[in-house]
């Protein structure tokens, strides 16, 4: 509700920056609420607002939210198409963490459309980047494990699972 009021106020005073930020936060909220279709539209609005203002990071976050929402809707081909459409723009992002998140979103879309080798290559690249956070590397390693299991490469899956940090092993407890 507060985000909606903030957006209305931003529209009323013509503040495009605040409007884009409100749309970005609303897209994140809609994903959390389990309404990805609404999140896609809201993220598209945020992308349009932030693009007009040359706010690259805001635009990239909106793109990530839209891709995440499309993944929830099982629109993996559409997510991949969106990422391909903006690949040149996202590959030059200064925010390496955000670039890594978008790369992993691309790996997930590739995985879901059956392009496992390409997905593995991207996840491996993210995992090996020294500038990425441990959390991002861990997510990339989990993606590699998922790909190995889907490929029925069980020895590789076991190897990857054994290399995961012990403090994160609670993910595998039953």
């Amino acid at each position: 509700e507060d985000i909606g009021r903030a957006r209305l106020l931003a529209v009323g005073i013509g503040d495009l920056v605040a409007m884009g930020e409100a749309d970005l936060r609303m897209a994140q909220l809609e994903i959390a609420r389990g309404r990805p279709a609404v999140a896609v539209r809201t993220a598209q609005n945020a992308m349009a607002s932030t693009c007009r203002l040359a706010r690259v990071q805001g635009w990239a976050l909106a793109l990530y939210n839209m891709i995440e929402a499309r993944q929830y809707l099982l629109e993996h081909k559409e997510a991949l198409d969106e990422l391909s459409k903006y690949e040149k723009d996202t590959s030059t992002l200064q925010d390496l963490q955000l670039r890594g998140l978008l790369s992993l979103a691309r790996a997930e879309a590739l995985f879901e459309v059956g392009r496992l080798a390409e997905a593995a290559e991207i996840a491996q690249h993210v995992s090996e980047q020294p500038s990425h956070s441990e959390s991002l590397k861990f997510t990339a390693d989990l993606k590699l494990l998922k790909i190995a299991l889907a490929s029925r490469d069980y020895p590789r899956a076991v190897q990857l699972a054994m290399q995961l940090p012990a403090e994160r092993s609670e993910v595998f407890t039953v």
Side-chain angles (χ1 to χ4, degrees):
E1 293 178 7
D2 290 341
I3 297 172
R5 283 194 293 264
R7 188 182 194 288
L8 285 175
L9 180 61
V11 169
I13 62 173
D15 186 342
L16 293 177
V17 172
M19 193 169 70
E21 287 294 321
D23 284 340
L24 178 59
R25 302 298 172 238
M26 186 60 79
Q28 292 168 334
L29 183 61
E30 293 300 343
I31 289 170
R33 287 180 173 165
R35 298 179 355 181
V38 175
V40 168
R41 290 190 304 274
T42 307
Q44 287 170 332
N45 289 342
M47 284 177 66
S49 297
T50 54
C51 186
R52 283 194 305 266
L53 298 168
R55 292 180 51 107
V56 177
Q57 185 165 349
W59 170 86
L61 279 170
L63 174 62
Y64 177 75
N65 286 329
M66 183 177 62
I67 298 307
E68 185 177 19
R70 287 205 182 279
Q71 298 282 16
Y72 283 128
L73 290 168
L74 303 179
E75 295 176 352
H76 305 294
K77 184 183 178 321
E78 291 83 353
L80 188 55
D81 291 345
E82 290 287 344
L83 286 163
S84 295
K85 180 175 161 183
Y86 298 111
E87 186 171 11
K88 184 177 179 183
D89 299 316
T90 58
S91 68
T92 59
L93 284 172
Q94 297 299 312
D95 184 331
L96 299 179
Q97 294 302 114
L98 186 52
R99 191 180 340 163
L101 279 173
L102 286 164
S103 293
L104 288 179
R106 181 176 186 75
E108 180 65 19
L110 287 165
F111 173 84
E112 292 295 342
V113 299
R115 294 165 58 183
L116 303 183
E118 291 170 84
E121 184 179 320
I122 291 170
Q124 186 69 46
H125 179 74
V126 171
S127 177
E128 293 172 349
Q129 292 304 304
S131 58
H132 287 154
S133 69
E134 290 304 312
S135 177
L136 191 60
K137 290 178 187 180
F138 180 74
T139 303
D141 291 342
L142 286 178
K143 183 97 40 220
L144 286 167
L145 177 58
K146 181 178 173 180
I147 294 165
L149 289 169
S151 302
R152 296 187 173 164
D153 185 352
Y154 302 121
R156 172 85 171 130
V158 169
Q159 175 193 16
L160 288 165
M162 297 300 287
Q163 292 173 350
L164 290 173
E167 65 272 8
R168 302 263 186 167
S169 64
E170 72 276 358
V171 173
F172 299 105
T173 59
V174 180

